[in-house]
Amino acid sequence: PARGRRGGGGGPPTPAYQAGLRGKDQITAVNGVAVAGWSELRWEMIQAALDKHGARLVIERPNGGRVSVALRAEAFSGLDLDGDVLAKLGLAVSHPQPVLGRISEAGPAARAGLQPGDRVVGIDERAIEDGMEFMELVRAAPGRTLTLHVLRGAQVLAVPVTPEADAAKAGRIKVEVMLAPELVTLKAGAPAALAKAAHKTWDTSALTVQMIGKMISGEISLKNVTGPITIADYAGQTARSGLVSYLSFIAFISISLGVMNLLPIPVLDGGLLLYYSLEVLTGRPLPQRFAEIAQRAGIGLLFALMLLAVFNDVVRLL
């Protein structure tokens, strides 16, 4: 399930919210392609961002309804693909209704009479279906009294609470909130898994070539080129997330490097294949002088690419 965020901290509505997505909506397809997991959704949205034609989402509502909503092309214009694309569009994993945990004795929540185990079902006249939505509304209301509707046992109570402003001028009521998302593991048999793996490998290869082409044409910023520092950082993050995330990242890097190695650049395998193809077409070896110039140009291009990648890595760190 996904949710359309209105915009944290009282900011403007996000593209997903404007399109009509709400808490507990489940996205089942993007531009006619079925998606069964969060990673598949993210992949299709990146493709839509590259194509800049917008995205049509098929949504299943919590009440059983099925609708189609559209994210307009304007939502993808100028979207930086370096980072969490879904969050920038206003999409996030759906969380359950917030259940209050440990409450600070000196905080607004304790003074209002809230108790551990209370389930927040609404704020003022607005129903709360997602815990993150609850946190965003509290952050956006420093110094303003909110009426929290909490489920305690079988009774719904209305509890007025006034969030305190912290150093960043965001509202706080000093309470822990349990927000563990409901996760499922998607499984497939060996034949289906092999077919999906082959399809994903092809899609990843095509995406790499598409990204290179758009960077050359200037449609995508060169800061998307990353080097060993960023790769090591992401490898550490995915390793902490679990074995599946780590192996998926390693597979993605391996495919991308394989595609790069097949580019028709001298000193790479793709350059050698280009040499052999030209020799077959012309029926004679290439002039030695031409091969030397091409190799020097290829080495210079690789060094320039390495310097750009390391520069982007350092800028990210700073």
Side-chain angles (χ1 to χ4, degrees):
R3 63 187 183 94
R5 295 189 297 107
R6 179 171 180 82
T14 62
Y17 192 92
Q18 290 177 327
L21 276 87
R22 296 297 182 267
K24 303 300 181 181
D25 285 348
Q26 184 169 355
I27 301 174
T28 60
V30 178
N31 289 335
V33 179
V35 293
W38 192 253
S39 59
E40 294 180 3
L41 171 63
R42 183 178 185 275
W43 184 265
E44 294 302 328
M45 296 302 285
I46 289 177
Q47 297 284 359
L50 286 173
D51 295 337
K52 297 181 180 179
H53 296 320
R56 180 158 293 278
L57 312 179
V58 177
I59 308 297
E60 289 187 0
R61 300 290 191 190
N63 59 7
R66 190 182 183 91
V67 297
S68 177
V69 301
L71 285 174
R72 296 179 298 178
E74 291 79 6
F76 297 94
S77 61
L79 189 64
D80 188 0
L81 300 181
D82 182 23
D84 193 343
V85 174
L86 295 181
K88 294 171 184 176
L89 292 171
L91 292 170
V93 175
S94 182
H95 294 79
Q97 284 181 321
V99 177
L100 304 186
R102 187 175 63 87
I103 298 177
S104 174
E105 295 181 359
R111 292 195 296 268
L114 293 171
Q115 299 178 8
D118 286 347
R119 180 185 296 273
V120 181
V121 297
I123 293 183
D124 294 333
E125 302 300 322
R126 180 172 177 172
I128 297 297
E129 297 181 347
D130 188 286
M132 290 300 297
E133 182 182 15
F134 162 70
M135 296 178 65
E136 290 170 358
L137 290 173
V138 171
R139 290 192 185 109
R144 180 166 60 87
T145 300
L146 303 174
T147 301
L148 271 59
H149 301 277
V150 299
L151 179 64
R152 184 179 298 168
Q155 188 178 12
V156 177
L157 305 175
V159 182
V161 181
T162 304
E164 296 177 346
D166 61 8
K169 297 184 179 180
R172 294 287 185 271
I173 61 174
K174 297 186 178 180
V175 60
E176 290 183 352
V177 182
M178 304 177 198
L179 292 177
E182 301 172 5
L183 301 178
V184 296
T185 301
L186 302 176
K187 298 182 180 180
L194 288 173
K196 290 188 70 173
H199 186 263
K200 187 61 176 291
T201 302
W202 174 261
D203 283 348
T204 304
S205 302
L207 176 65
T208 303
V209 174
Q210 190 177 9
M211 289 284 288
I212 293 173
K214 289 185 177 295
M215 280 190 284
I216 293 175
S217 63
E219 296 181 49
I220 294 179
S221 173
L222 291 176
K223 70 178 183 179
N224 287 287
V225 178
T226 57
I229 300 176
T230 299
I231 292 175
D233 180 31
Y234 285 177
Q237 294 182 30
T238 55
R240 289 189 292 270
S241 299
L243 181 62
V244 174
S245 297
Y246 179 69
L247 293 179
S248 298
F249 175 74
I250 294 299
F252 180 81
I253 292 297
S254 299
I255 295 171
S256 298
L257 291 177
V259 173
M260 292 287 293
N261 190 46
L262 291 177
L263 293 178
I265 298 176
V267 310
L268 296 180
D269 289 344
L272 295 177
L273 292 176
L274 178 62
Y275 287 163
Y276 298 151
S277 300
L278 292 176
E279 289 180 0
V280 169
L281 292 175
T282 60
R284 61 179 183 275
L286 295 176
Q288 186 68 24
R289 181 61 177 168
F290 175 80
E292 291 177 356
I293 295 176
Q295 284 187 346
R296 291 175 183 174
I299 292 174
L301 179 60
L302 287 181
F303 269 111
L305 186 62
M306 290 171 58
L307 289 175
L308 175 63
V310 173
F311 174 78
N312 288 340
D313 287 351
V314 174
V315 169
R316 285 189 181 89
L317 286 178
L318 298 178

